[in-house]
Amino acid sequence: MISLVSSVEHPKGVLKESLKEIEVIRGTTLVKRGFAHMQKHGVIMDVTSVEQAQIAEEAGAVAVMVLDKLPYDVRKAGGIARTASLKVVEDVLNHVTIPVMAKCRIGHSGEANILEEAGVDMIDESEVLTPADEERHIWKWDYTTPFVNGGRDLGEALRRIEEGAAMVRTKGEPGTGNVAEAVKHIRLVNNQIGRIKFLYENGDNQELIREARELKVSYEIVAETGRLGRLPVVNFAAGGIATPADASLMMKLGCDGVFVGSGIFKAEDPMERAKAIVLATTFYDDAKIVSEAQKMVDERKSMMGLDAKTMEFRMQDRGTI
Amino acid sequence: MIIGVLGFQGDIEEHIAATKEALKKLKIDGAVSVVKTADELGEVDALIVPGGESTVIGGLSLFNKSLSVIKERIKNGMPVLGTCAGMILLANRTYDRVVGEKKQPLLGVLNVLVERNSFGRQRESFEADLNVPLLGKQKFKGVFIRAPSVKEASQGVETLAKLDGEVVAVRQGNIVGTCFHPELSGDTRLHEYFVQMIKKH
């Protein structure tokens, strides 16, 4: 049974509809979080065209994420990064059978409405695009379509869940091909959950309330996280994953699956790499298959990569409130 | 009794939890394990193919050569439960509502034609209280996520549940398939039914 913690009463995104013989309810917490559970142990790949989406599907992606430019190119191009052309989104929707996700700007409910209308299966309110609202994210309970959000630490992740995110991911540092930031974020989340679990199991409510205040979230979601010993929604790795070994590392650290952004289509061997990353994600605990997967890619064809430490502009610092 | 959950991709953990709960309720001594390889598959008495992406689960089971092993075992009578993507994999023919026919690795043991994404995309996904006569009078909460439906069924395929005229759960001998996700609803009656089916086997 999926945790339904933080669900609000009568959210706008929940729609009742009478079919011929039966009444159905759409957009419930169970249906939205349930969708994320179907992605588990899989790889979601960033694509910018139908051709790339078809390569991703063929290679075994569990879903594709449509955006205008890959994070690496967003970084290089500068300027304002917005949601992808609807033409491209619709084209992808009509040509692949796996779920199609798309990114909108943080706080930009206008873009989110358009993506929901287009019929995407999940919306990523993403720091890769230029934030539209520096102070608040989208109130995601208003949507029937589920959302995924990024977080660098437990507070960010839980705040996004309270706003209605049905899935979360580490932020990492997108477009760098450097997995270090994603590792930092998942380690931090794991450590924070470890402490909360300990407090919960010891029935230390005073400390749990203190934690909730520090994380700027409700006591309820902190207690639920302690009870579960994990995030209450599906949590993927994202931001800098470029090789099969990277994917296996993130799975070993406890992620439920992996997003790959620039890592595949900024490499010179996208099809082979995509297949290899899928294998390394599913079989992360089988050293033999992971090394087989790593052999499928050539390090000379990996994206060049950037070191997040020396970078002036960091996408992960966007939308942290 | 050892029940395996096919562990490539999808909501594997939810099936493990629901099956354990069902065993506990029925007071049956049994174990539930994640299986991927041919060796692991040889050790289980029954198999659950979870929800997820059928193209991905199929592709990975083809890669590690377990697809043919599973197929053989089901043909030899091993009880199997497939939910959503799991049922698509069991079917012998599928097509996508929007994209049409698509080549994908299947187990092809259940004699039905399945339409993928039959009720629409995620925004159209829903919960509904279903009549499932063999689970008793109390309605069963069906969680339909980009769910398929059964468009045609050969003789020998029994309809277990319908939704608005569409067939959404079937049984053919040792094979049970549902278009919805009993592992997500918190109601273990369908898993209990499957466990009892294994016991009788």
Side-chain angles (χ1 to χ4, degrees), chain A residues 83-151:
Chain A
T83 197
S85 301
L86 270 184
K87 170 87 180 58
V88 178
V89 173
E90 282 169 1
D91 246 14
V92 175
L93 282 167
N94 289 326
H95 286 90
V96 297
T97 64
I98 56 177
V100 176
M101 307 180 177
K103 288 185 193 289
C104 75
R105 284 180 261 177
I106 291 173
H108 203 317
S109 52
E111 284 186 350
N113 290 340
I114 287 166
L115 292 176
E116 173 158 84
E117 198 52 39
V120 303
D121 296 291
M122 183 170 246
I123 300 170
D124 184 1
E125 187 181 17
S126 174
E127 66 281 6
V128 168
L129 309 187
T130 312
D133 191 330
E134 300 286 351
E135 281 169 8
R136 59 188 68 72
H137 284 73
I138 295 170
W139 187 248
K140 292 164 273 284
W141 299 108
D142 286 350
Y143 294 79
T144 311
T145 308
F147 277 72
V148 55
N149 276 91

Side-chain angles (χ1 to χ4, degrees), chain A residues 1-2 19-35 37-42 57-58 60-63 93-100 116-122 144-146 278-279 282-286 289 292 296, chain B residues 7-14 17-18 36-37 50-53 55-56 60-61 63-64 84 96 98-100 102 104 116-117 119-131 141 143-146 162-165 181 183-187:
Chain A
M1 182 74 190
I2 292 176
L19 305 182
K20 276 173 279 168
E21 298 166 11
I22 197 167
E23 185 175 77
V24 301
I25 315 173
R26 308 188 199 278
T28 60
T29 303
L30 185 55
V31 165
K32 287 164 141 185
R33 290 186 189 168
F35 169 76
H37 280 251
M38 298 310 143
Q39 312 299 308
K40 285 196 302 184
H41 309 271
E57 182 179 41
E58 172 75 25
V62 81
L93 282 167
N94 289 326
H95 286 90
V96 297
T97 64
I98 56 177
V100 176
E116 173 158 84
E117 198 52 39
V120 303
D121 296 291
M122 183 170 246
T144 311
T145 308
V278 169
L279 290 178
T282 305
F283 298 102
Y284 72 94
D285 51 356
D286 184 331
I289 297 184
E292 237 179 84
M296 289 163 67
Chain B
F8 293 112
Q9 191 271 318
D11 67 340
I12 301 155
E13 295 76 10
E14 288 67 33
K36 288 182 195 163
T37 64
E53 272 308 307
T55 51
V56 178
L60 290 167
S61 59
F63 164 83
N64 88 338
C84 196
D96 183 86
V98 174
V99 180
K102 178 156 176 69
Q104 65 175 112
R116 290 178 59 198
N117 301 315
F119 299 93
R121 310 197 68 97
Q122 175 56 24
R123 194 167 55 140
E124 282 85 50
S125 295
F126 57 89
E127 292 174 26
D129 288 327
L130 298 176
N131 264 322
K141 188 196 275 184
V143 184
F144 291 77
I145 296 176
R146 287 171 48 96
K162 276 186 159 191
L163 176 127
D164 223 39
H181 293 281
E183 74 279 15
L184 297 186
S185 59
D187 184 337

Side-chain angles (χ1 to χ4, degrees), chain B:
Chain B
M1 179 190 296
I2 304 173
I3 303 168
V5 178
L6 195 62
F8 293 112
Q9 191 271 318
D11 67 340
I12 301 155
E13 295 76 10
E14 288 67 33
H15 267 295
I16 294 173
T19 311
K20 282 186 175 165
E21 188 68 27
L23 286 167
K24 208 169 117 190
K25 278 189 183 157
L26 295 169
K27 297 193 175 71
I28 291 176
D29 208 16
V32 189
S33 62
V34 178
V35 294
K36 288 182 195 163
T37 64
D39 286 351
E40 289 164 347
L41 278 157
E43 287 166 17
V44 298
D45 302 305
L47 184 69
I48 295 176
V49 188
E53 272 308 307
S54 61
T55 51
V56 178
I57 302 172
L60 290 167
S61 59
L62 191 66
F63 164 83
N64 88 338
K65 301 185 176 70
S66 58
L67 189 79
S68 55
V69 178
I70 301 169
K71 196 171 167 170
E72 214 39 51
R73 287 221 53 199
I74 297 172
K75 281 190 170 168
N76 289 329
M78 174 180 71
V80 62
L81 166 67
T83 65
C84 196
M87 190 187 70
I88 295 171
L89 281 161
L90 291 168
N92 57 14
R93 285 179 303 147
T94 67
Y95 67 95
D96 183 86
R97 194 177 70 130
V98 174
V99 180
E101 292 244 2
K102 178 156 176 69
K103 243 186 105 195
Q104 65 175 112
L106 298 171
L107 290 162
V109 288
L110 179 61
N111 296 321
V112 294
L113 171 66
V114 169
E115 181 179 68
R116 290 178 59 198
N117 301 315
S118 190
F119 299 93
R121 310 197 68 97
Q122 175 56 24
R123 194 167 55 140
E124 282 85 50
S125 295
F126 57 89
E127 292 174 26
D129 288 327
L130 298 176
N131 264 322
V132 189
L134 68 93
L135 298 182
K137 278 207 176 119
Q138 196 197 331
K139 300 257 173 116
F140 191 89
K141 188 196 275 184
V143 184
F144 291 77
I145 296 176
R146 287 171 48 96
S149 73
V150 177
K151 287 296 176 193
E152 288 170 22
S154 306
Q155 267 195 339
V157 179
E158 180 192 347
T159 297
L160 301 184
K162 276 186 159 191
L163 176 127
D164 223 39
E166 302 284 342
V167 174
V168 293
V170 294
R171 176 170 176 179
Q172 174 195 309
N174 55 326
I175 304 168
V176 178
T178 68
C179 299
F180 49 92
H181 293 281
E183 74 279 15
L184 297 186
S185 59
D187 184 337
T188 58
R189 280 180 291 157
L190 199 110
H191 285 81
E192 289 169 43
Y193 168 74
F194 184 59
V195 168
Q196 274 163 336
M197 196 175 125
I198 304 166
K199 206 178 159 199
K200 278 181 208 152
H201 174 66

